[in-house]
Structure formats: structure tokens, C-alpha cells
Amino acid sequence: MVADSVGAAENGDRVEIVVGDFFESVPSGDLYAILSNIRKALEESGRICVIDHVLPETPRPHPAMAMDLAMLVWATGRERKLSEFEALFDRAGFRLDRVTENPKGWSVVEAVPA
């Protein structure tokens, strides 16, 4: 079902869905949406992206603040500030490259091999 909807989407012909366990290994590619084991498989010209809410560095009204609170209450999770994404990427061997914000609160945070 997922493969059908991806294939029908604009640029769906550019996506290949690969079944596997990313805790064991990751196939080589040029765009990934998860971090674990990715750096070992990522081509040097590749990049990763994380689609998430990004908290402002200093508290202020922002859509991510409500999501942060909801995650804390429901799942003991939390959202990250951009500086926290940078530190996370650095530990995994990446460098923050670009952030594309969406007015609804989601951002696309992209990183490249460091």
C-alpha cells in the first residue's frame, strides 16, 4: 500500500522502498530520513533529512511548543532546538546544512556528511 502511494506521487519514480532492518545495515543512497547506521552507508554527496518541529532557542510562542508539551505528556518525548539537532548530527558524523520551515510548524532539517 505504501509503495503504491509513493509510486503515484509526484517524483514517485525517484523513490525505491527497500525492506530491511536499519539496526543491522542500510543500503547506499543519496537521501535518508533516519540517523542510525546511516553515516556508514551514506554516499559522500548524500544528505539526510529530518522532518520535525524545531523549538526556538529562547522560549516564545511557536507551534513546536505545543507539540513539545504533548510529546512530554503522552510519550515522555520532546522536540529539539536547532542547536540540539546540530549536536545530534555532529555526534553521528554529520553537519547541519539547511533548514526549511513550514508555517504549520514542521521543518525539514537537512544535514550532510561532516
Side-chain angles (χ1 to χ4, degrees):
M1 179 163 188
V2 171
D4 292 339
S5 61
V6 169
E10 182 178 352
N11 296 320
D13 59 326
R14 297 175 57 197
V15 176
E16 178 185 358
I17 297 176
V18 178
V19 177
D21 182 347
F22 70 86
F23 289 110
E24 292 181 15
S25 68
V26 179
S28 180
D30 61 4
L31 175 69
Y32 297 90
I34 55 177
L35 286 179
S36 182
N37 274 338
I38 298 299
R39 183 60 186 97
K40 290 185 281 187
L42 186 69
E43 297 171 4
E44 287 304 311
S45 62
R47 62 182 46 244
I48 60 166
C49 70
V50 177
I51 301 171
D52 205 349
H53 289 90
V54 178
L55 289 170
E57 292 294 325
T58 56
R60 62 178 171 82
H62 190 277
M65 300 299 275
M67 182 57 76
D68 187 46
L69 182 58
M71 286 179 62
L72 180 62
V73 170
W74 295 328
T76 67
R78 64 181 191 81
E79 298 292 357
R80 291 183 174 91
K81 298 176 186 175
L82 193 55
S83 59
E84 293 171 310
F85 274 108
E86 287 177 303
L88 179 69
F89 291 149
D90 184 58
R91 287 191 307 271
F94 293 97
R95 175 183 53 82
L96 179 70
D97 183 56
R98 172 172 59 184
V99 178
T100 306
E101 294 184 21
N102 179 301
K104 298 290 185 183
W106 295 97
S107 294
V108 178
V109 182
E110 297 179 61
V112 295

